[in-house]
Structure formats: C-alpha cells, structure tokens
C-alpha cells in the first residue's frame, strides 16, 4: 500500500498539521530543507522545489536575483496536485537555478539528515532532505543533469526522473529547456507512481509535453556499462558489485558492455546546459525580470553589470561558459558539436535500452562531507555527474534507489529505461522494496 492511502485511513485534524509545521520548523534550523513553509491544513503533504511556481508563495530558485518574487500563478504540476487534494507544505532548498551537484551553491546549504556534516546532494537538496525526514510526504523536484538522482541517493530516498516531456514544465524557472524534467522524490516507488499518475499528461501551456503510449518492458536483462562504472571509488564499486550479485540472485541477467561515446557525455551536457542557461538567465537584468535595480543614473552597461551582481559565482561561471560556446565564431566547434554527440548517445543508448535496463552507481564517490565537497574545483565537481548525465542528456526515465548503508550512510544506484518505459522502472522499485527496507533517521508526522 502506498503511504498516501495509509495516510488517508485516519482523520488528520488541524492539530496534526500544526504539530507538523512546528516540528519541521524546529528541524529546519539545522537541516535547511525548506526555503519557505506553507500553511497546510489538509491533504497529504507535498513540497515543491523552489524553482517551481506556487501562487502567492515566495519562489526564488535559491537566487538573490529573484529577490522576493511571488508568482501570481501555479505551475501545472502544483495545480494538478492541489486539485487532487494534496496539501502544499513548502518550497524546498536547492542550488541556485539548479546549478550544482552538492546543494552548496546557495545562501544556506541543506544538510544531510543522516549526518549534518555531510552534503544533502544537489541540486534538489531540500526535496531530498524533506523526503528523508517526513513520514508522510512527497516532493516535486526537478532534474537537468542528475538533480533528482544524486540528492535522493545521498539522503536515502527514491528519486524518479520520468521521460522528458511527460510532466509539464509550465511554471518551472528554466535552467536548460531541452534537458529540464520535473520529477518526484518519495519514500517508495508506490508513492512516486501515485504522484506521477496525478501530474503527468499533456498541457496546453507546454508544447513539449505529451501523452505517450507508456510501455512496461522488463526483459529481465540489466546492462552494466564500463563507462558508467569507470572512475568510481573502490568502496562504491565494492557495494555496487554486491548489488549486482543480489540482483543476479533474483533472476536478473547481468551483462557488461562498453560504450566509448559516453566518455563525451559530460562535455556535451555542460556545453548544452550552459548554452541554454545563459540564454535563460539573460532576461534577469533588474529591469523587467530579476531583483529591481533602482540605480538608473549610470552608464548603460554599468546598470546591467550592477544588476547582475545578484547572481552567485556558479551562475556567473555558467553565463560566461554558455555565452562563449554559442558565440558565432565558435558555435560549430562547441554547441553544434555537443548536439551531435547528444544525438549519437541517444541512438546508442536507445539500442541498448530496447533489450533491458542500464544500472550504475549514482555517483562515483560516496556522500562527501560539506568540507570535502567545498574543496572540489568546478571541473571535478562537473565530472562527478558522469553517471547521472547520460539518461538526463537523452531524456530517458531513471530512478535512483538505496541499496545499502555502509557506515550508516545510504548509497544509491540508478536504473535507466527506454523512453516511455517509466512504469517498468516503478515496477522494478516495487519488486526491490519487497526485499529491502529503507531506513530513515527521522519520521516527522508519524502517528
Ligand atoms: N549538477 C548538474 C548541473 O549542475 C545537474 C544539476 C541539475 O540537474 N539541475 O548542471
């Protein structure tokens, strides 16, 4: 049974929600999961990543640039959740505009609920923390290159990133439009499925959003690709091998393959992602969009430079890279080439996914401490996304799930399926969860 059905078996009075808000508020001082907490009084609680618009609630994508922007409308996902009776709980913390893998690129980084000295993962850091601390709750999150899988793995929850274009992006503050996918974090595959059924489906406000024929293919084959394990730490590989043994024991056929082109995935992704991000951020000039700049009496360029000081360091870095790679004189060498690489990777991976799932560790490293992650240079940090990027670059659905707790911290694997095989992944999770019990340190809202 999903925890959503379980929740509705009892009447929850006003007291329940008051206590919930109070307890979250208490813990939030330590974990920074929420940027804003709502005034929920009914329904199964859901949180919304802070780059998705909720009417009347401050929505900042964790950026100073958006100041105290309060959207006058709901994103389609939010509208659908509310209509179905879910209760809006709050906006969750994230890396500024989605730029990051560890949740550190924001004013008050979220912390890992298993150990506060460790990162929560990013960019949907707060969504993962909220899911990990709340007994009854689902998170609406978003991934461009791994922002659901990574924090879900670090915080020990289920992260479901559906096929590109299955959930409307209307009301999402875009990072990179051809890559962005709204997805779900939950404490079980069943909860994720229930929410997916509520929020997916075409939307007149998002022309890329479709109603496909979903298939549910589970061939019993799992492919492990060398390029999606190469470079992982010994410890990660030791745990991952155990997972493979256990899946083989359940009857899965595990087959190794190599796909050299995947070595180009990170480069292709960061060119496309930054190119799109730099165009999306161009509108924040302090004029019509972005924190208003009242200092009109200065030179034209100075006015804009002044306004754009409100971007954090990582956003500025991405504007610089993205503007460069799509420049007229070099775009064939970078941007267009990256698109070609993406096409090749899609074709190759689609060929493999026709015959089975692809499984890999979510990250090449175990959850780093905040101190360790802070010391990574930008390139090393980008490269840490090498296992989560391929399905994101290609719009393939994927789930990340916990499979072990070495030294008490969760460790996750990512399973990818072909386009529109979303339900096959959710079916796999159900099977996995029948033999593995996730652990949580907090259970706020349990009765
Ligand atoms: N870490 C990747 C990036 O910074 C992915 C983030 C995301 O999916 N939003 O681009």
């Amino acid at each position: 049974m999903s925890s959503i059905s379980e929740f509705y078996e009892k009447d929850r009075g006003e007291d329940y929600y008051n206590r919930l808000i109070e307890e979250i508020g208490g813990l939030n001082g330590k974990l920074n999961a929420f940027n804003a907490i709502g005034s929920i009084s009914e329904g199964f609680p859901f949180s919304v990543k802070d780059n998705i618009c909720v009417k009347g609630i401050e929505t900042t994508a964790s950026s100073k640039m958006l100041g105290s922007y309060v959207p006058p409308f709901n994103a389609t996902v939010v509208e659908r959740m509310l209509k179905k009776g879910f209760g809006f709980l709050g906006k969750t913390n994230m890396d500024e505009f989605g730029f990051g893998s560890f949740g550190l690129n924001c004013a008050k980084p979220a912390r890992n609920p298993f150990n506060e000295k460790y990162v929560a993962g990013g960019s949907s850091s707060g969504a993962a923390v909220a899911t990990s601390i709340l007994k009854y709750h689902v998170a609406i999150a978003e991934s461009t290159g791994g922002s659901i899988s990574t924090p879900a793995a670090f915080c020990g929850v289920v992260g479901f990133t559906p096929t590109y274009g299955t959930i409307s992006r209307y009301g999402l503050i875009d990072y990179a439009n051809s890559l962005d996918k709204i997805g779900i974090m939950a404490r079980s595959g069943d909860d994720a499925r229930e929410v997916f059924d509520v929020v997916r489906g075409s939307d007149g406000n998002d022309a890329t959003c479709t109603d496909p024929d979903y298939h549910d293919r589970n061939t019993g084959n799992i492919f492990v690709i060398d390029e999606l394990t190469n470079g992982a730490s010994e410890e990660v590989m030791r745990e991952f091998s155990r997972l493979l043994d256990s899946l083989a024991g359940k009857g899965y056929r595990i087959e190794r393959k190599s796909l050299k082109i995947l070595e180009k995935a990170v480069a292709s992704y960061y060119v496309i992602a930054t190119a799109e991000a730099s165009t999306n951020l161009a509108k924040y000039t302090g004029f019509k969009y972005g924190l208003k700049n009242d200092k009109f009496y200065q030179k034209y360029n100075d006015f804009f430079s002044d306004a754009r000081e409100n971007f954090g360091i990582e956003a500025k870095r991405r504007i610089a890279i993205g503007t460069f790679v799509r420049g007229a004189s070099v775009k064939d060498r970078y941007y267009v080439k990256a698109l070609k690489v993406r096409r090749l990777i899609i074709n190759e991976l689609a060929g493999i996914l026709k015959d089975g799932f692809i499984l890999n560790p979510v990250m090449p490293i175990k959850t780093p401490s905040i101190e360790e992650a802070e010391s990574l240079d930008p390139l090393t940090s980008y490269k840490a996304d090498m296992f989560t990027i391929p399905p994101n670059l290609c719009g393939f659905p994927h789930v990340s799930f916990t499979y072990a707790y070495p030294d008490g911290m969760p460790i996750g694997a990512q399973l990818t399926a072909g386009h529109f095989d979303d339900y096959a992944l959710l079916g796999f999770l159900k099977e996995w969860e029948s033999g593995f019990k996730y652990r949580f340190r907090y259970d706020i809202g349990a009765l």
Side-chain angles (χ1 to χ4, degrees):
M1 181 166 54
S2 74
S3 66
I4 301 172
S5 320
E6 189 186 299
F7 179 83
Y8 284 118
E9 278 185 348
K10 290 199 189 96
D11 275 339
R12 317 268 159 180
E14 214 174 289
D15 264 11
Y16 176 81
Y17 294 100
N18 288 342
R19 222 179 44 230
L20 189 68
I21 299 275
E22 206 180 297
E23 284 181 38
I24 295 172
L27 200 53
N28 207 42
K30 187 157 87 171
L31 299 178
N32 299 324
F34 289 90
N35 284 356
I37 297 174
S39 52
I40 185 172
S41 57
E42 56 183 9
F44 187 91
F46 77 104
S47 66
V48 180
K49 187 175 176 179
D50 203 19
N51 57 352
I52 300 173
C53 291
V54 179
K55 187 173 171 177
I57 303 284
E58 206 167 278
T59 295
T60 69
S62 289
S63 181
K64 206 172 138 202
M65 182 50 109
L66 285 171
S68 48
Y69 171 62
V70 177
F73 73 109
N74 281 323
T76 299
V77 260
V78 173
E79 196 63 35
R80 289 183 181 171
M81 290 296 279
L82 292 173
K83 221 176 232 160
K84 192 74 185 176
F86 285 83
F88 168 72
L89 183 59
K91 302 302 299 286
T92 51
N93 198 357
M94 58 184 284
D95 284 297
E96 182 179 11
F97 288 109
F99 304 150
S101 309
F102 301 106
L104 300 175
N105 298 332
C106 60
K108 274 198 205 162
R111 289 166 179 271
N112 196 299
F114 282 83
N115 182 337
E116 296 87 45
K117 289 199 178 76
Y118 286 76
V119 303
S123 69
S124 309
S125 49
V129 177
T131 310
S132 185
I133 62 175
L134 287 157
K135 169 89 175 154
Y136 297 108
H137 155 272
V138 287
I140 301 294
E142 177 274 338
S143 171
T144 309
S147 277
I148 292 180
S149 286
T150 300
F154 286 176
C155 294
V157 304
V158 167
F160 172 49
T161 311
T163 304
Y164 177 84
T166 53
I167 298 180
S168 167
R169 287 180 292 114
Y170 180 68
L172 170 70
I173 296 170
D174 306 301
Y175 165 174
N177 314 47
S178 78
L179 299 163
D180 295 344
K181 297 153 296 276
I182 289 181
I184 299 152
M185 287 191 204
R187 280 185 169 204
S188 73
D190 275 353
D191 285 359
R193 174 193 295 258
E194 218 166 306
V195 174
F196 184 51
D197 285 339
V198 172
V199 297
R200 67 175 165 79
S202 60
D203 173 19
N205 288 320
D206 176 0
T208 61
C209 187
T210 56
D211 292 307
D213 285 331
Y214 288 97
H215 18 248
D216 199 350
R217 295 179 294 189
N218 183 345
T219 59
N221 294 331
I222 289 181
F223 299 107
V224 177
I225 314 234
D226 291 345
E227 288 71 18
L228 296 181
T229 53
N230 290 348
S233 74
E234 242 171 69
E235 209 179 354
V236 166
M237 282 317 289
R238 195 170 50 238
E239 297 299 334
F240 187 66
S241 308
R242 283 195 196 132
L243 170 65
L244 293 179
D245 289 345
S246 117
L247 290 172
K250 290 183 201 293
Y252 278 95
R253 288 174 299 278
I254 314 282
E255 194 183 318
R256 290 199 169 262
K257 277 190 187 291
S258 167
L259 186 57
K260 278 277 170 226
I261 184 103
L262 287 181
E263 287 173 353
K264 308 279 186 255
V266 171
S268 166
Y269 168 83
Y270 273 99
V271 168
I272 297 171
T274 55
E276 294 187 25
S278 64
T279 61
N280 280 323
L281 297 184
K283 63 180 168 287
Y284 300 112
T285 57
F287 219 59
K288 186 166 176 187
Y289 294 99
L291 198 63
K292 198 162 160 239
N293 189 358
D294 290 325
K295 291 178 241 149
F296 290 120
Y297 301 100
Q298 52 180 326
K299 289 202 177 115
Y300 186 84
N301 281 354
D302 293 344
F303 173 84
F304 293 114
S305 304
D306 198 39
R308 289 165 78 79
E309 275 307 318
N310 290 312
F311 284 127
I313 176 83
E314 187 57 31
K316 287 181 188 166
R317 183 177 292 120
R318 288 175 189 228
I319 291 170
I321 300 174
T323 307
F324 172 73
V325 296
R326 62 189 168 80
S329 60
V330 298
K331 74 168 191 306
D332 287 344
R333 233 186 308 155
Y334 297 107
Y335 181 62
V336 175
K337 194 166 191 177
L339 292 178
K340 286 180 183 164
V341 169
R342 163 155 75 175
R343 174 43 64 190
L344 289 175
I345 295 178
I346 293 177
N347 293 349
E348 294 282 347
L349 286 180
I352 295 174
L353 292 167
K354 219 168 36 13
D355 299 325
F357 297 127
I358 291 175
L359 187 70
N360 53 267
V362 172
M363 274 242 157
I365 47 172
K366 276 190 60 190
T367 312
S369 68
I370 292 181
E371 210 179 321
E372 280 168 317
E374 270 172 349
S375 72
L376 298 177
D377 61 87
L379 196 60
T380 311
S381 171
Y382 296 171
K383 282 187 181 158
D385 292 340
M386 60 193 180
F387 301 158
T388 58
I389 277 177
N392 277 283
L393 186 62
C394 305
F396 292 121
H398 48 285
V399 288
S400 96
F401 60 95
T402 304
Y403 66 89
Y405 295 88
D407 308 320
M409 293 290 284
I411 186 164
Q414 176 178 273
L415 190 75
T416 301
H419 290 134
F420 308 124
D421 261 326
D422 303 70
Y423 287 96
L425 294 175
L426 297 168
F428 172 91
L429 279 182
K430 194 173 182 73
E431 198 186 306
W432 172 252
E433 289 162 6
S434 69
F436 186 89
K437 205 166 156 18
Y438 303 135
R439 299 180 207 158
F440 300 102
R441 183 160 160 219
Y442 298 95
D443 253 338
I444 295 184
L447 284 185

